[in-house]
Amino acid sequence: MRDLPVPQTAAEWDELASKIIRANLQIAGLNYVQLGEALTAMGIRQDNKIISGKLRAGRFSAAFFLQALVAIGVVELRLPVPKGPAV
């Protein structure tokens, strides 16, 4: 995944979270149906239409974000880094 700018608004953060899941699905060669199956295998039932809607709207919980990444098999995540001194 290429370097991303640090989001400035809540909507931009939502979009970044959605992009991260969608990019990792693409890297893994998976689609929403397969993500739903992987989530179900983890004991998390999510309808494919609900998954699609969440990712399209970019509105979902931090728990869903982590569940999706684990289901996809993501073990490392690159996040945007703010410019300037570290806090």
Side-chain angles (χ1 to χ4, degrees):
M1 203 146 117
R2 70 186 199 294
D3 291 332
L4 297 170
V6 176
Q8 300 300 307
T9 67
E12 289 173 350
W13 282 105
D14 292 341
E15 180 61 23
L16 175 60
S18 183
K19 282 182 179 179
I20 289 171
I21 293 175
R22 288 183 281 137
N24 280 286
L25 279 170
Q26 186 176 16
I27 290 166
L30 300 174
N31 59 37
Y32 294 159
V33 172
Q34 292 164 314
L35 174 57
E37 291 169 351
L39 288 167
T40 298
M42 292 170 47
I44 302 155
R45 300 204 51 89
Q46 289 284 322
D47 181 80
N48 301 328
K49 289 181 182 180
I50 291 172
I51 292 171
S52 176
K54 285 180 178 185
L55 295 178
R56 187 174 35 258
R59 301 290 297 174
F60 42 81
S61 68
F64 176 79
F65 179 75
L66 294 172
Q67 291 164 344
L69 293 177
V70 169
I72 294 166
V74 174
V75 295
E76 187 172 306
L77 185 60
R78 291 192 56 170
L79 298 172
V81 177
K83 294 185 179 172
V87 180

